Amino acid sequence: SSWIKSPFSRISFWGMITLILATVACTPVPPASDSGGSPTQAQASRQVTATLILQHGVSPDAAYAGTSDVVITNLWETNTQLGGWEGLDTYRDDQERHRILIRFDLSPLPPGVQIQSASLSLYHIDSEFDDAPQTVSASRLTVPWTEGSGTETNPDPGYTPDGATYTLAAPGTPWTNPGGDFDPTAITVAVIPAFASPGWIDWDLTGLVSQWASGALPNNGLILRTRDGDYTGHRFYSRDDAAHPTLRPRLTIVYTLDGASPTPT
């Protein structure tokens, strides 16, 4: 019938143009695709967590030569130098006799990391005299020192030590205080059990390694000292042990670092 008309019959030409443009503007546009048809990628920052193990001649690779360790002692001659010993020892009799110095070069750590945890581990291989538990504390050394290569517990009087002794931090450089210059506040302690079987003993160094990594404190390493255990000593492999490289002292560090990961836009 003539009275039925299209709703568009009353719309002017310019009205039709406006309606078409509005329809086009409201139509969804598909995302741009790369050659594989997937959405384009953008780099979004995130944190990456990683673990670094420092162990002389082993990790992070066989070229790592950043561990130094030595036993300094007042039990024998004042010029006793034990930087080349294949073991580390915590022996004491009626007083503290042996102290362990140890340091790890942290240069394999990437710059700007945030330390989540860090622990020193020594492999316990034996005990001597009274086989009893012993408490051993770790403190921060405040001056540099030299490991040396000595192995004689009773060297000739004319022997010149090439590394740290109970009286020397390095050849020609005495400690300010015989026995080592260190922060008297212990960072952490570990209880070494009466020996039953070989195994790892750990010291938590998270706070100190964080300060070393950030540069807040210089990395001169640690001194390990006995707190108890008369006529007791415990033995560990040193970094010089040739027969058991994977059982040498190690420092395990868990850290986070800003990284990047592709994220769809």
Side-chain angles (χ1 to χ4, degrees):
S1 302
S2 59
W3 59 270
I4 300 176
K5 299 184 179 293
S6 168
F8 295 105
S9 61
R10 297 188 181 93
I11 299 177
S12 68
F13 172 79
W14 291 111
M16 287 291 291
I17 295 298
T18 301
L19 180 61
I20 292 170
L21 290 176
T23 303
V24 171
C26 294
T27 302
V29 178
S33 298
D34 57 21
S35 57
S38 61
T40 57
Q41 306 290 306
Q43 296 296 314
S45 177
R46 67 183 179 94
Q47 282 195 323
V48 176
T49 300
T51 299
L52 174 67
I53 297 176
L54 300 176
Q55 190 174 41
H56 199 85
V58 177
S59 181
D61 54 48
Y64 179 72
T67 309
S68 301
D69 57 29
V70 61
V71 173
I72 60 174
T73 177
N74 63 356
L75 181 61
W76 300 299
E77 301 296 329
T78 57
N79 62 345
T80 298
Q81 209 293 307
L82 299 175
W85 247 14
E86 292 194 345
L88 302 172
D89 193 297
T90 62
Y91 174 70
R92 64 182 290 152
D93 47 30
D94 57 348
Q95 60 181 290
E96 185 184 0
R97 293 297 189 182
H98 290 181
R99 297 176 175 182
I100 298 170
L101 312 185
I102 189 164
R103 180 184 182 275
F104 293 85
D105 175 17
L106 300 183
S107 59
L109 269 178
V113 299
Q114 299 294 318
I115 306 300
Q116 302 303 311
S117 66
S119 61
L120 166 68
S121 301
L122 300 183
Y123 196 77
H124 188 200
I125 55 174
D126 201 358
S127 62
E128 53 189 331
F129 299 97
D130 290 343
D131 184 10
Q134 194 172 46
T135 304
V136 177
S137 65
S139 297
R140 176 179 65 89
L141 285 159
T142 57
V143 301
W145 50 279
T146 303
E147 179 187 61
S149 59
T151 59
E152 294 295 328
T153 56
N154 290 286
D156 294 334
Y159 170 74
T160 301
D162 63 352
T165 69
Y166 201 82
T167 58
L168 298 174
T173 305
W175 300 108
T176 302
N177 302 291
D181 296 329
F182 54 89
D183 185 332
T185 302
I187 300 162
T188 185
V189 298
V191 177
I192 305 167
F195 185 78
S197 60
W200 293 99
I201 305 294
D202 301 323
W203 286 261
D204 182 3
L205 304 180
T206 304
L208 181 57
V209 172
S210 296
Q211 292 176 298
W212 284 343
S214 69
L217 288 173
N219 177 13
N220 295 311
L222 301 165
I223 185 168
L224 302 181
R225 302 179 56 204
T226 58
R227 297 283 192 90
D228 52 22
D230 289 348
Y231 295 93
T232 298
H234 292 272
R235 295 174 178 169
F236 308 87
Y237 288 127
S238 80
R239 74 98 175 169
D240 293 288
D241 184 84
H244 310 89
T246 60
L247 303 181
R248 293 169 182 162
R250 68 188 185 194
L251 183 65
T252 303
I253 304 171
V254 178
Y255 65 89
T256 55
L257 180 68
D258 286 342
S261 177
T263 303
T265 55

Coordinates of all heavy atoms in Angstrom, one line a residue, residues 89-152:
D89 N 90.3 -26.5 59.6 CA 90.3 -27.2 60.9 C 89.8 -26.2 61.9 O 90.2 -25.0 61.9 CB 91.6 -27.7 61.2 CG 91.6 -28.7 62.4 OD1 91.3 -28.3 63.5 OD2 92.0 -29.9 62.2
T90 N 89.0 -26.7 62.9 CA 88.5 -25.8 63.9 C 89.0 -26.2 65.3 O 88.4 -25.9 66.3 CB 86.9 -25.8 64.0 OG1 86.5 -27.2 64.3 CG2 86.3 -25.3 62.7
Y91 N 90.2 -26.8 65.4 CA 90.7 -27.3 66.6 C 90.9 -26.3 67.7 O 91.4 -25.2 67.4 CB 92.0 -28.1 66.4 CG 92.6 -28.5 67.7 CD1 92.1 -29.6 68.4 CD2 93.8 -27.9 68.2 CE1 92.6 -30.0 69.6 CE2 94.3 -28.3 69.4 CZ 93.8 -29.4 70.1 OH 94.3 -29.8 71.3
R92 N 90.6 -26.7 68.9 CA 90.9 -25.9 70.1 C 91.2 -26.8 71.2 O 90.7 -28.0 71.3 CB 89.8 -24.9 70.5 CG 88.5 -25.5 70.9 CD 87.5 -24.5 71.3 NE 87.8 -23.7 72.5 CZ 87.4 -22.5 72.7 NH1 86.7 -21.8 71.8 NH2 87.7 -21.9 73.8
D93 N 92.1 -26.4 72.2 CA 92.4 -27.2 73.3 C 91.7 -26.5 74.5 O 90.5 -26.5 74.6 CB 93.9 -27.6 73.5 CG 94.8 -26.4 73.3 OD1 94.3 -25.2 73.6 OD2 95.9 -26.5 72.9
D94 N 92.6 -26.0 75.4 CA 92.0 -25.2 76.5 C 91.7 -23.8 76.1 O 91.2 -23.0 77.0 CB 92.9 -25.2 77.8 CG 94.3 -24.7 77.5 OD1 94.6 -24.5 76.3 OD2 95.0 -24.5 78.4
Q95 N 91.9 -23.4 74.9 CA 91.6 -22.1 74.3 C 91.5 -22.2 72.8 O 91.8 -23.3 72.2 CB 92.7 -21.1 74.7 CG 94.1 -21.4 74.2 CD 95.1 -20.4 74.6 OE1 95.1 -19.3 74.1 NE2 96.0 -20.8 75.5
E96 N 91.1 -21.2 72.2 CA 90.9 -21.2 70.7 C 92.3 -21.2 70.1 O 93.2 -20.4 70.4 CB 90.2 -19.9 70.3 CG 89.8 -19.8 68.9 CD 89.2 -18.5 68.5 OE1 89.0 -17.6 69.4 OE2 88.9 -18.3 67.3
R97 N 92.5 -22.1 69.1 CA 93.8 -22.3 68.5 C 93.7 -22.1 67.0 O 94.6 -21.4 66.5 CB 94.3 -23.7 68.8 CG 94.6 -24.0 70.2 CD 95.8 -23.1 70.7 NE 96.3 -23.6 72.0 CZ 97.2 -22.9 72.7 NH1 97.8 -21.9 72.1 NH2 97.6 -23.4 73.9
H98 N 92.8 -22.6 66.3 CA 92.7 -22.5 64.9 C 91.5 -21.6 64.5 O 90.4 -21.7 65.0 CB 92.5 -23.8 64.2 CG 93.7 -24.7 64.3 ND1 93.7 -26.0 63.7 CD2 94.9 -24.6 64.8 CE1 94.8 -26.6 63.9 NE2 95.6 -25.7 64.6
R99 N 91.8 -20.7 63.5 CA 90.8 -19.9 62.9 C 90.8 -20.1 61.4 O 91.9 -20.2 60.8 CB 90.9 -18.4 63.3 CG 90.8 -18.2 64.8 CD 91.1 -16.7 65.1 NE 90.9 -16.5 66.6 CZ 91.0 -15.3 67.2 NH1 91.4 -14.2 66.5 NH2 90.8 -15.2 68.5
I100 N 89.6 -20.1 60.8 CA 89.6 -20.2 59.3 C 89.2 -18.9 58.7 O 88.3 -18.2 59.1 CB 88.5 -21.3 59.0 CG1 88.8 -22.6 59.5 CG2 88.3 -21.3 57.4 CD1 87.7 -23.7 59.4
L101 N 90.0 -18.5 57.7 CA 89.7 -17.3 56.9 C 89.3 -17.8 55.5 O 89.9 -18.7 54.9 CB 90.9 -16.4 56.7 CG 91.8 -16.1 57.9 CD1 92.9 -15.1 57.5 CD2 90.9 -15.5 59.0
I102 N 88.2 -17.2 55.0 CA 87.7 -17.6 53.7 C 87.1 -16.5 52.9 O 86.4 -15.6 53.6 CB 86.7 -18.8 53.8 CG1 86.4 -19.4 52.4 CG2 85.5 -18.4 54.6 CD1 85.7 -20.8 52.5
R103 N 87.3 -16.4 51.6 CA 86.7 -15.3 50.8 C 86.4 -15.9 49.4 O 87.1 -16.7 48.9 CB 87.8 -14.2 50.7 CG 87.3 -13.0 49.8 CD 88.4 -12.0 49.6 NE 87.9 -10.9 48.8 CZ 87.8 -10.8 47.5 NH1 88.3 -11.8 46.8 NH2 87.4 -9.7 46.9
F104 N 85.3 -15.3 48.9 CA 84.8 -15.7 47.5 C 84.8 -14.4 46.7 O 84.2 -13.4 47.1 CB 83.4 -16.3 47.5 CG 83.4 -17.7 48.2 CD1 83.3 -17.8 49.5 CD2 83.5 -18.8 47.4 CE1 83.2 -19.1 50.1 CE2 83.4 -20.1 48.0 CZ 83.3 -20.2 49.3
D105 N 85.4 -14.4 45.5 CA 85.2 -13.3 44.6 C 83.8 -13.3 44.0 O 83.3 -14.3 43.5 CB 86.3 -13.5 43.5 CG 86.1 -12.4 42.4 OD1 85.5 -11.4 42.6 OD2 86.7 -12.7 41.3
L106 N 83.1 -12.2 44.2 CA 81.7 -12.1 43.7 C 81.5 -11.5 42.3 O 80.4 -11.2 41.9 CB 80.9 -11.2 44.7 CG 80.9 -11.7 46.2 CD1 80.0 -10.7 47.0 CD2 80.4 -13.1 46.3
S107 N 82.6 -11.4 41.6 CA 82.5 -10.8 40.2 C 81.5 -11.5 39.3 O 81.0 -10.9 38.4 CB 83.9 -10.6 39.6 OG 84.5 -11.8 39.4
P108 N 81.3 -12.8 39.4 CA 80.3 -13.5 38.5 C 78.9 -13.0 38.8 O 78.0 -13.3 37.9 CB 80.5 -15.0 38.9 CG 81.8 -15.1 39.4 CD 82.1 -13.9 40.2
L109 N 78.6 -12.3 39.9 CA 77.2 -11.8 40.1 C 77.0 -10.7 39.1 O 77.8 -9.7 39.0 CB 77.1 -11.2 41.5 CG 76.6 -12.2 42.6 CD1 76.6 -11.4 43.9 CD2 75.2 -12.7 42.3
P110 N 75.8 -10.6 38.4 CA 75.5 -9.5 37.6 C 75.3 -8.2 38.4 O 74.9 -8.3 39.6 CB 74.1 -9.9 37.0 CG 74.0 -11.4 37.1 CD 74.8 -11.7 38.4
P111 N 75.5 -7.1 37.9 CA 75.4 -5.8 38.6 C 73.9 -5.6 38.9 O 73.0 -6.0 38.1 CB 75.9 -4.7 37.7 CG 75.9 -5.3 36.3 CD 76.1 -6.8 36.5
G112 N 73.6 -4.9 40.0 CA 72.3 -4.5 40.4 C 71.4 -5.6 40.9 O 70.1 -5.4 40.9
V113 N 71.9 -6.7 41.3 CA 71.0 -7.8 41.8 C 70.5 -7.5 43.2 O 71.1 -6.7 44.0 CB 71.8 -9.1 41.8 CG1 72.2 -9.5 40.4 CG2 73.0 -9.1 42.7
Q114 N 69.4 -8.1 43.6 CA 68.9 -8.1 44.9 C 69.1 -9.5 45.5 O 68.6 -10.5 45.0 CB 67.4 -7.8 44.9 CG 67.1 -6.4 44.3 CD 67.7 -5.3 45.2 OE1 67.6 -5.3 46.4 NE2 68.2 -4.3 44.5
I115 N 69.9 -9.6 46.6 CA 70.2 -10.9 47.2 C 69.0 -11.4 48.0 O 68.5 -10.7 48.9 CB 71.4 -10.8 48.1 CG1 72.6 -10.2 47.3 CG2 71.8 -12.2 48.6 CD1 73.0 -11.0 46.1
Q116 N 68.5 -12.6 47.7 CA 67.4 -13.2 48.4 C 67.9 -14.1 49.5 O 67.3 -14.2 50.6 CB 66.5 -14.0 47.5 CG 65.9 -13.1 46.3 CD 65.1 -11.9 46.8 OE1 64.3 -12.1 47.7 NE2 65.4 -10.8 46.3
S117 N 69.0 -14.8 49.3 CA 69.6 -15.7 50.3 C 71.1 -16.0 49.9 O 71.4 -15.9 48.7 CB 68.8 -17.0 50.5 OG 68.9 -17.8 49.3
A118 N 71.9 -16.2 50.8 CA 73.3 -16.6 50.6 C 73.8 -17.5 51.7 O 73.5 -17.2 52.9 CB 74.2 -15.4 50.5
S119 N 74.5 -18.5 51.4 CA 75.0 -19.4 52.5 C 76.3 -20.0 52.1 O 76.6 -20.3 51.0 CB 74.0 -20.6 52.8 OG 73.8 -21.4 51.6
L120 N 77.2 -20.0 53.1 CA 78.5 -20.7 53.0 C 78.3 -22.1 53.4 O 77.7 -22.4 54.4 CB 79.5 -20.0 53.9 CG 80.8 -20.7 54.2 CD1 81.7 -20.8 52.9 CD2 81.6 -20.1 55.3
S121 N 78.9 -23.0 52.7 CA 78.9 -24.4 53.0 C 80.3 -25.0 53.0 O 81.0 -24.9 52.0 CB 78.0 -25.2 52.0 OG 76.7 -24.6 51.9
L122 N 80.6 -25.7 54.1 CA 81.8 -26.5 54.2 C 81.5 -28.0 54.3 O 80.6 -28.3 55.1 CB 82.7 -26.0 55.4 CG 83.1 -24.6 55.4 CD1 84.0 -24.3 56.6 CD2 83.8 -24.2 54.1
Y123 N 82.3 -28.8 53.7 CA 82.0 -30.3 53.7 C 82.8 -30.9 54.9 O 84.0 -30.9 54.9 CB 82.4 -30.9 52.4 CG 81.8 -32.3 52.3 CD1 80.4 -32.4 51.9 CD2 82.5 -33.5 52.5 CE1 79.8 -33.7 51.8 CE2 81.9 -34.7 52.3 CZ 80.6 -34.8 52.0 OH 80.0 -36.0 51.8
H124 N 82.0 -31.4 55.9 CA 82.5 -31.9 57.1 C 83.0 -33.4 56.9 O 82.2 -34.2 56.5 CB 81.3 -31.9 58.1 CG 81.7 -32.3 59.5 ND1 80.8 -32.7 60.5 CD2 82.9 -32.3 60.2 CE1 81.4 -33.0 61.6 NE2 82.7 -32.7 61.5
I125 N 84.3 -33.6 57.2 CA 84.9 -34.9 56.8 C 85.4 -35.7 58.0 O 85.6 -36.9 57.9 CB 86.0 -34.8 55.8 CG1 87.1 -33.8 56.3 CG2 85.5 -34.3 54.4 CD1 88.3 -33.7 55.4
D126 N 85.5 -35.0 59.2 CA 86.1 -35.8 60.3 C 86.1 -34.9 61.5 O 85.8 -33.7 61.5 CB 87.5 -36.2 60.0 CG 88.0 -37.4 60.8 OD1 87.2 -37.9 61.7 OD2 89.2 -37.8 60.6
S127 N 86.4 -35.5 62.7 CA 86.6 -34.8 63.9 C 87.9 -35.3 64.6 O 88.5 -36.3 64.1 CB 85.4 -35.0 64.9 OG 85.3 -36.3 65.2
E128 N 88.4 -34.7 65.6 CA 89.6 -35.1 66.3 C 89.5 -34.9 67.8 O 88.7 -34.1 68.3 CB 90.8 -34.3 65.7 CG 90.6 -32.8 65.8 CD 91.8 -32.1 65.0 OE1 92.9 -32.7 64.9 OE2 91.5 -31.0 64.5
F129 N 90.2 -35.8 68.5 CA 90.2 -35.8 70.0 C 88.8 -36.0 70.5 O 88.2 -37.0 70.1 CB 90.8 -34.5 70.5 CG 92.3 -34.3 70.1 CD1 92.6 -33.5 69.0 CD2 93.3 -34.9 70.7 CE1 93.9 -33.4 68.6 CE2 94.6 -34.8 70.3 CZ 94.9 -34.1 69.2
D130 N 88.3 -35.2 71.3 CA 86.9 -35.4 71.8 C 85.9 -35.1 70.7 O 85.8 -34.0 70.1 CB 86.6 -34.5 73.0 CG 87.4 -34.8 74.2 OD1 87.9 -36.0 74.3 OD2 87.5 -34.0 75.1
D131 N 85.2 -36.2 70.3 CA 84.2 -36.0 69.2 C 82.9 -35.4 69.8 O 82.1 -36.2 70.2 CB 84.0 -37.4 68.5 CG 83.1 -37.3 67.3 OD1 82.8 -36.1 66.9 OD2 82.6 -38.3 66.8
A132 N 82.9 -34.1 69.8 CA 81.7 -33.5 70.4 C 81.2 -32.3 69.5 O 82.0 -31.9 68.7 CB 82.2 -32.9 71.8
P133 N 80.0 -31.9 69.7 CA 79.5 -30.8 68.9 C 80.4 -29.5 69.2 O 81.0 -29.4 70.3 CB 78.1 -30.6 69.4 CG 77.7 -31.9 70.0 CD 79.0 -32.5 70.6
Q134 N 80.4 -28.6 68.3 CA 81.1 -27.4 68.4 C 80.4 -26.3 67.7 O 79.9 -26.4 66.6 CB 82.5 -27.6 67.8 CG 83.6 -26.5 68.2 CD 84.9 -26.9 67.7 OE1 85.1 -27.3 66.5 NE2 85.9 -26.8 68.5
T135 N 80.3 -25.1 68.4 CA 79.7 -23.9 67.8 C 80.7 -23.1 67.2 O 81.7 -22.7 67.8 CB 79.0 -23.1 68.9 OG1 78.0 -24.0 69.6 CG2 78.2 -21.9 68.3
V136 N 80.5 -22.7 65.9 CA 81.5 -22.0 65.1 C 80.8 -20.7 64.6 O 79.8 -20.8 63.9 CB 82.1 -22.8 64.0 CG1 83.0 -21.9 63.2 CG2 82.8 -24.0 64.6
S137 N 81.3 -19.5 64.9 CA 80.7 -18.3 64.5 C 81.4 -17.8 63.2 O 82.6 -18.0 63.0 CB 80.7 -17.2 65.6 OG 82.1 -16.9 65.9
A138 N 80.7 -17.0 62.5 CA 81.3 -16.3 61.3 C 81.2 -14.8 61.5 O 80.2 -14.2 61.9 CB 80.5 -16.6 60.0
S139 N 82.4 -14.1 61.3 CA 82.4 -12.7 61.4 C 83.1 -12.1 60.2 O 83.9 -12.7 59.5 CB 83.2 -12.2 62.7 OG 82.6 -12.7 63.9
R140 N 82.8 -10.8 60.0 CA 83.3 -10.1 58.8 C 84.7 -9.6 59.0 O 85.0 -8.9 60.0 CB 82.4 -8.9 58.4 CG 82.9 -8.1 57.3 CD 81.9 -6.9 57.1 NE 81.8 -6.0 58.2 CZ 82.6 -4.9 58.3 NH1 83.5 -4.7 57.4 NH2 82.5 -4.1 59.4
L141 N 85.7 -10.0 58.1 CA 87.0 -9.5 58.2 C 87.0 -8.1 57.7 O 86.3 -7.7 56.7 CB 88.0 -10.4 57.4 CG 88.3 -11.7 58.0 CD1 88.8 -12.7 56.9 CD2 89.4 -11.5 59.1
T142 N 87.8 -7.2 58.3 CA 87.8 -5.8 58.0 C 89.0 -5.3 57.2 O 89.1 -4.1 56.8 CB 87.7 -5.0 59.3 OG1 88.8 -5.3 60.2 CG2 86.4 -5.2 60.0
V143 N 90.0 -6.2 56.9 CA 91.2 -5.8 56.1 C 91.4 -6.9 55.1 O 91.1 -8.1 55.3 CB 92.4 -5.6 57.0 CG1 92.2 -4.4 58.0 CG2 92.9 -6.8 57.7
P144 N 92.1 -6.6 54.0 CA 92.5 -7.6 53.1 C 93.6 -8.5 53.6 O 94.3 -8.2 54.6 CB 93.1 -6.8 51.9 CG 92.6 -5.4 52.1 CD 92.5 -5.2 53.6
W145 N 93.7 -9.7 53.1 CA 94.7 -10.7 53.5 C 95.0 -11.6 52.3 O 94.4 -11.6 51.3 CB 94.1 -11.6 54.6 CG 92.8 -12.2 54.4 CD1 91.5 -11.6 54.5 CD2 92.5 -13.5 53.8 NE1 90.5 -12.4 54.1 CE2 91.1 -13.6 53.7 CE3 93.3 -14.6 53.5 CZ2 90.5 -14.8 53.2 CZ3 92.7 -15.7 53.0 CH2 91.3 -15.8 52.9
T146 N 96.1 -12.3 52.5 CA 96.6 -13.2 51.4 C 96.6 -14.6 51.8 O 97.0 -15.0 52.9 CB 98.1 -12.8 51.0 OG1 98.1 -11.4 50.7 CG2 98.6 -13.6 49.9
E147 N 96.2 -15.5 50.9 CA 96.0 -16.9 51.2 C 97.4 -17.6 51.5 O 97.6 -18.3 52.5 CB 95.3 -17.7 50.1 CG 95.1 -19.1 50.4 CD 94.6 -19.9 49.2 OE1 95.2 -19.9 48.1 OE2 93.5 -20.5 49.4
G148 N 98.3 -17.5 50.6 CA 99.6 -18.2 50.7 C 99.5 -19.6 50.3 O 98.5 -20.1 49.9
S149 N 100.7 -20.3 50.4 CA 100.8 -21.7 49.9 C 101.4 -22.6 50.9 O 101.7 -23.8 50.5 CB 101.6 -21.7 48.6 OG 102.9 -21.2 48.8
G150 N 101.6 -22.2 52.1 CA 102.3 -23.1 53.1 C 101.5 -24.3 53.5 O 100.3 -24.3 53.5
T151 N 102.3 -25.4 53.9 CA 101.6 -26.6 54.3 C 102.3 -27.2 55.6 O 101.8 -28.2 56.1 CB 101.7 -27.7 53.2 OG1 103.1 -27.9 52.9 CG2 100.9 -27.3 52.0
E152 N 103.3 -26.5 56.1 CA 104.1 -27.1 57.2 C 103.6 -26.5 58.5 O 103.5 -25.3 58.7 CB 105.6 -26.7 57.1 CG 106.3 -27.4 55.9 CD 106.3 -28.9 56.1 OE1 106.4 -29.4 57.2 OE2 106.2 -29.6 55.1

